[in-house]
Amino acid sequence: MTKIIAIFNQAGGVMKTSLTMNLGYHLSRKHKVLLVDTDPQASLTTFMGLEPHELEEIVADSLLTPETKLPIHHNLHGMDLAPANITLSAVELQLSAVMARELRLKQALEPILNNYDFILIDCPPSLGILSILGLCAATHVLVPVQTHYKAFKGTELLLDSIKQVKKHINPKLAIAGFVPTLYVNANQDKVILEALEQQLSPAKVYPKIPRATAFADAVMNSQPLAVYDPKHPAIAKRSVGIAVLKKIALGMEKL
């Protein structure tokens, strides 16, 4: 059975897109992986080496016209990608009068489910219809949370949104876990990390991913961290980041 994992947090800047690309890469070493960009900012599309404004076909086409096949770019660092661009921002308004609009992404994915072991959906940093589409299509949701007080307080609203989707639309949706991100060795980060581990139980809280310029360096080169120059000193110093990503990938395989 294909595992469809929505990477979701209504807050921006929590390493959501980097997690999607890097987790997808590690899963793709042994599995067939599709990444789906549902964010009008199209960061994932850019990170994967495409120019969003040059694309003629994007995810929005399949959401608005169900008979249109999901546009897929193949074999980008061993993964496939259904891309996005800014025109995706009009989807919410255009779907406002459509019956069962929450199911449009799920319906778009159904014809290709047998082609993939994992489908990772990069949700936008909002609680709008595009995030709802991702949660309704998913079998699991993985939540990156920055180890800062503001981000931690936002998890209550986030969990309520997941609860509402599970109750009303997608009863099989399960929480795959939480990933503490952008961790630095400071007092606030330590306190929030401990709070995450205590208060989010029994959900899985993965080891922390440290703040590292190596992630940004890799993104500038449109590469996952593990593909980026292996001799780069930043990667050697922050190899724990790659180790954690491998652990998260293993956790996804066990879902």
Side-chain angles (χ1 to χ4, degrees):
M1 176 177 165
T2 305
K3 296 170 184 175
I4 306 174
I5 303 169
I7 289 79
F8 170 63
N9 193 317
Q10 81 274 16
V14 297
M15 204 177 159
K16 178 174 54 62
T17 302
S18 291
L19 178 61
T20 303
M21 179 173 72
N22 284 282
L23 175 59
Y25 173 78
H26 288 287
L27 287 169
S28 71
R29 300 305 86 195
K30 295 189 293 182
H31 305 280
K32 295 180 180 178
V33 175
L34 170 68
L35 307 183
V36 180
D37 193 349
T38 63
D39 187 348
Q41 297 179 78
S43 295
L44 179 61
T45 299
T46 302
F47 287 8
M48 293 291 285
L50 302 182
E51 292 292 342
H53 67 277
E54 296 179 356
L55 299 174
E56 295 183 359
E57 297 178 323
I58 63 166
V59 170
D61 303 321
S62 300
L63 300 179
L64 296 173
T65 311
E67 59 270 20
T68 301
K69 292 183 179 180
L70 197 67
I72 296 175
H73 293 251
H74 297 278
N75 198 26
L76 303 175
H77 303 300
M79 300 171 280
D80 291 352
L81 171 70
N85 62 26
I86 191 61
T87 60
L88 188 58
S89 60
V91 166
E92 187 164 4
L93 179 61
Q94 292 173 284
L95 289 180
S96 61
V98 174
M99 292 288 290
R101 59 186 179 273
E102 297 89 353
L103 300 177
R104 282 297 178 93
L105 181 57
K106 177 181 174 65
Q107 293 165 348
L109 293 173
E110 284 175 351
I112 60 171
L113 288 181
N114 291 336
N115 298 340
Y116 299 99
D117 302 306
F118 288 91
I119 297 176
L120 305 185
I121 303 171
D122 185 26
C123 297
S126 72
L127 295 175
I129 185 61
L130 293 173
S131 290
I132 300 301
L133 287 169
L135 293 173
C136 290
T139 57
H140 299 81
V141 55
L142 182 66
V143 183
V145 183
Q146 185 178 4
T147 52
H148 279 194
Y149 178 74
K150 182 180 178 181
F152 173 67
K153 293 299 291 183
T155 57
E156 184 176 345
L157 178 60
L158 182 150
L159 288 170
D160 183 66
S161 299
I162 295 173
K163 179 180 178 181
Q164 293 302 316
V165 169
K166 184 177 177 69
K167 179 179 179 181
H168 297 290
I169 308 172
N170 185 5
K172 295 184 179 180
L173 180 65
I175 295 177
F178 295 82
V179 182
T181 62
L182 300 170
Y183 180 87
V184 295
N185 194 27
N187 185 61
Q188 180 179 174
D189 292 73
K190 293 176 181 177
V191 170
I192 296 303
L193 179 60
E194 184 178 351
L196 284 170
E197 293 171 341
Q198 291 179 354
Q199 297 187 29
L200 295 177
S201 180
K204 173 74 173 179
V205 178
Y206 284 93
K208 59 187 181 292
I209 296 180
R211 182 186 296 273
T213 57
F215 282 104
D217 292 339
V219 164
M220 286 181 63
N221 287 272
S222 302
Q223 294 177 324
L225 182 59
V227 175
Y228 185 60
D229 185 2
K231 297 182 180 180
H232 193 288
I235 290 182
K237 293 178 182 178
R238 298 290 187 175
S239 60
V240 63
I242 293 179
V244 173
L245 287 164
K246 289 181 178 179
K247 289 180 180 179
I248 298 170
L250 181 60
M252 299 304 99
E253 291 176 336
K254 294 180 177 179
L255 290 175

